[in-house]
């Protein structure tokens, strides 16, 4: 129990191009260092109102229940599922990667019956399979799936799924952790009943909060529960009484500085405009993908369903991917992500999310990858990726 | 779905003397605005090691499992209980205020059998009552109680309770949210098996993390579970694999900026030294309590068991407490806390936690209270509280 000697905080500066966290704008960092208000201060309650309005704009919803859960993205997933499910319920979960698998795990911990739709990693789910499950399984309470599968880079279409679920009396739960703020998310238009995200991806805010919105239909289901929500911390009914204007009943202490950060990051998102932001993500992803293609990397995700925010690419045979990633970090201070689960050692995940999606970053990571490949004698033609990326930029 | 107009963040400056958050040192605010590392960056893993060593020093424990849970204090409470309890288990919970009541609520949500020991609010629990419950109830898995009851200001002694619980095969869970860093907490010496806290109280870090330590005995109990932990997010086994040196298996994204802040706040705690810090808390609490006594306020908590960090005082009859608190905020920008539950409208809770425990703050709040009472015609002698506080300081 000796006193540890801990020196002044001085981490190296990184270019964050992994699956998150993404780069954070200086305005957001500065907002976080603002002296605190109390979590029940009338001025903080005004800030909560503002954040709720901003989140509704980004989620494209009118849902009154639109909040920031006091935890990271996975807490958002857990909040969505534990509030909607109780023992005896049935949930259909699409598993096309790590995060679908996590949903399935949580469904089990809720004591609900799990109906899994397995999809090869990198592919998206055909809505016909969901319809088939809804017809076959009888009373389904929840259909849950991942909009942007961070482990594969696949971009699951959600349009029409809300109506399909509602026609069968089910609720639609969507994970938009790696999509919100980077590609279109239309909660109301798509009929998503519970939609959550994380702050550290396309919103470019540090991790620590999970935006969550619940439709009136989802709230009805919460109210109709026979049992208490298994999580006190994430109990939507109690949390709602804190976030609801005019109520503000103390539940737990909100992470005030993180709310400041989220507010500032959402200001930046809305100043840029959602459409412009989505276009920026597409533009830089196209250049990156052109560049890596010139080096022999192929996309992991199915054509037509690739996320611009999370570019998952197959590492060419013969390349020591771990050594190359280490070189990127050590020699260039650039972080990219490796593969998860069955894709470990096989793919790279290059995030171009929020502030990270910039031309200078795309060119920097391509140059660094070229150097790493050259070190292993695996670079066919120096400059090929940069030429391809510049050509892509010239076209866009 | 119109775009909300949200102006630059400019909250008023507050003197935070409520039940938390407490004042945050500029070094901690600055640490939070440090550009981010990825949560799997080797340099971030070093920072996690440092924070674990710092937390062990503050908790006074050698427990390898000593981490910061990715949520506020209540998430720490939930993490402690959901990992140790499963359906069929019995838990003895001492309820002497809001936070003991919250523990009891969570025990029920775990499907465990609850044995409640009710204690009048403001009093502490006689260990004989716990011993009696342990003898009477047969196999008890967990005894849980609050070391520093934030709703009443009572300071529950914990010495000897670990040995008592272990003699009956039970585990001891202690809530030190409002004590850690402000009054002695001796996890190993007292035999506490699961001990959690919050960052925003005596550690003077913004809210967002919950320090948690589990004894080897507690970890054995987690490993011996027959069922999965009901919370995926708080599953100690999975979280441990992320925090364990040499493992660092990805579980969920850590709130990186908050870890930076906690590291800096713990540096400040350890630079001051625990004993000096405890003495500082006692000194300023004594002055405050002398001051408010001169104005007719009496302590809510039982004599000999009053927290210096959270001063809970009965508002004299005839004072409109809500109006007075509003005046403190509006006229002096000072936040103090009102009462919770049955104490609402009856008590004030003045926090002198961490950075808030300073002479200038004690004198400022006393002067402000005098003004608020004068406005209601309830101030007997102007300056009485300041004179009493200064006398207390002169003696200390």
């Amino acid at each position: 129990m000796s006193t540890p000697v801990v020196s002044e905080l001085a981490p190296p500066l990184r270019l964050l191009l992994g699956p998150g966290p993404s780069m954070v704008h200086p305005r957001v960092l500065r907002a976080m260092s603002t002296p605190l208000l109390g979590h029940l201060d009338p001025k903080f309650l005004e800030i909560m109102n503002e954040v709720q309005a901003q989140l509704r704009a980004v989620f494209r919803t009118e849902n009154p229940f639109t909040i920031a859960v006091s935890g990271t993205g996975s807490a958002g997933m857990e909040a969505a599922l534990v509030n909607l499910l109780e023992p005896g319920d049935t949930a259909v979960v699409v598993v096309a990667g790590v995060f679908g698998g996590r949903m399935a795990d949580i469904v089990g911990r809720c004591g609900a019956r799990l109906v899994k739709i397995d999809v090869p990693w990198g592919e998206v789910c055909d809505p016909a399979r969901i319809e088939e499950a809804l017809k076959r399984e009888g009373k389904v309470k929840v259909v849950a799936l991942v909009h942007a599968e961070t482990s594969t880079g696949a971009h699951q279409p959600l349009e029409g799924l809300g109506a399909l679920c509602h026609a069968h009396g089910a609720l639609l739960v969507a994970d938009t952790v790696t999509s919100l703020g980077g590609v279109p998310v239309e909660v109301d238009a798509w009929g998503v009943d519970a939609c959550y995200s994380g702050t550290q991806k396309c919103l470019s805010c540090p991790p620590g909060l999970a935006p969550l919105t619940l439709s009136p239909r989802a709230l009805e289901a919460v109210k109709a529960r026979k049992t208490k929500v298994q999580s006190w911390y994430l109990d939507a009914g109690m949390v709602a009484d804190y976030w609801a204007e005019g109520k503000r009943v103390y539940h737990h202490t909100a992470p005030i500085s993180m709310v400041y950060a989220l507010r500032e990051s959402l200001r930046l998102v809305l100043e840029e405009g959602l459409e412009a932001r989505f276009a920026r993500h597409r533009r830089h992803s196209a250049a990156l993908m052109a560049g890596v293609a010139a080096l022999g990397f192929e996309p992991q995700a199915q054509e037509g369903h690739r996320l611009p925010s999370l570019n998952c690419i197959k590492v060419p045979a013969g390349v020591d991917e771990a050594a190359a990633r280490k070189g990127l970090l050590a020699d260039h201070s650039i972080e990219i992500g490796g593969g998860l689960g069955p894709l470990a050692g096989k793919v790279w995940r290059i995030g171009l999310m929020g502030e990270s999606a910039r031309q200078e970053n795309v060119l920097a990571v391509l140059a660094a990858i070229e150097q790493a490949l050259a070190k292993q004698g695996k670079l066919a033609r120096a400059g090929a990726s940069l030429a391809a990326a510049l050509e892509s930029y010239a076209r866009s």
Side-chain angles (χ1 to χ4, degrees), chain A residues 48 51-57 59 61-68 211-214 243:
Chain A
M48 290 168 69
V51 170
Q52 290 187 280
Q54 290 173 310
L55 286 176
R56 284 187 199 107
F59 271 129
T61 184
E62 305 279 3
N63 288 340
F65 186 105
T66 303
I67 67 158
L212 170 68
T213 185
L214 297 181
W243 283 85

Side-chain angles (χ1 to χ4, degrees), chain A residues 31-314:
Chain A
M32 238 181 336
S33 69
T34 306
L36 278 72
L37 291 169
H39 56 279
L40 295 172
D41 192 305
K43 293 289 180 187
F44 186 67
L45 306 181
E46 283 174 23
I47 287 173
M48 290 168 69
N49 287 343
E50 289 171 336
V51 170
Q52 290 187 280
Q54 290 173 310
L55 286 176
R56 284 187 199 107
V58 173
F59 271 129
R60 306 268 301 152
T61 184
E62 305 279 3
N63 288 340
F65 186 105
T66 303
I67 67 158
V69 173
S70 304
T72 53
S74 304
M77 182 189 287
E78 187 149 312
L81 293 172
V82 300
N83 279 288
L84 295 179
L85 293 172
E86 51 188 329
D89 289 339
T90 296
V92 172
V93 179
V94 175
V95 179
V98 166
F99 296 89
R102 184 170 299 179
M103 280 179 151
D105 184 340
I106 294 174
V107 164
R109 292 174 196 242
C110 294
R113 188 171 74 93
L114 171 68
V115 177
K116 230 173 29 156
I117 300 181
D118 277 305
V119 172
W121 287 35
E123 294 184 18
V124 297
C125 183
D126 182 343
R129 293 190 62 191
I130 296 171
E131 188 169 13
E132 187 197 354
L134 284 166
K135 284 180 176 161
R136 187 186 62 228
E137 299 296 336
K139 206 163 174 286
V140 171
K141 176 91 163 278
V142 156
V143 171
L145 79 180
V146 178
H147 183 219
E149 180 49 75
T150 317
S151 61
T152 68
H155 187 175
Q156 171 71 46
L158 295 179
E159 224 170 331
L161 284 187
L164 173 65
C165 291
H166 299 161
H168 289 83
L171 298 162
L172 177 61
V173 175
D175 178 312
T176 61
V177 168
T178 300
S179 53
L180 191 70
V183 300
V185 171
E186 292 282 350
V187 167
D188 285 1
W190 296 344
V192 183
D193 296 297
C195 190
Y196 58 86
S197 190
T199 49
Q200 75 279 11
K201 310 269 183 173
C202 301
L203 301 178
S204 267
C205 175
L209 290 173
L212 170 68
T213 185
L214 297 181
S215 72
R217 195 188 297 255
L219 284 178
E220 279 308 309
V222 175
K223 278 186 202 131
R225 290 178 67 99
K226 286 178 219 83
T227 59
K228 271 191 187 179
V229 177
Q230 67 201 55
S231 170
W232 182 92
Y233 189 62
L234 301 173
D235 185 317
M238 299 170 100
V239 173
D241 284 347
Y242 174 50
W243 283 85
E245 207 171 345
K247 281 197 170 180
R248 303 299 185 190
V249 179
Y250 165 64
H251 179 245
H252 66 268
T253 305
I256 294 153
S257 308
M258 291 304 311
V259 174
Y260 288 175
L262 178 58
R263 179 183 183 280
E264 193 64 25
S265 70
L266 292 171
R267 282 182 81 212
L268 285 160
V269 170
L270 296 171
E271 281 171 20
E272 180 174 14
L274 289 173
E275 288 308 322
R277 197 172 175 92
F278 302 152
R280 174 163 65 80
H281 279 81
R282 285 193 301 270
R283 180 162 185 261
H284 296 296
S285 172
L288 174 75
M289 293 305 275
V292 294
L295 301 175
F297 292 78
E298 283 171 18
Q300 171 70 24
Q302 183 181 347
E303 202 181 338
H305 299 286
R306 291 175 193 149
L307 286 168
S309 46
L310 197 285
N311 302 276
C312 189
I313 51 180
K314 295 177 195 165

Side-chain angles (χ1 to χ4, degrees), chain A residues 347-365:
Chain A
V347 301
W348 282 351
R349 294 178 300 147
I350 306 182
L352 293 175
M353 305 189 284
E355 294 301 315
S356 296
R358 306 251 166 239
Q359 177 169 284
E360 57 271 33
N361 300 344
V362 169
L363 300 180
V365 73

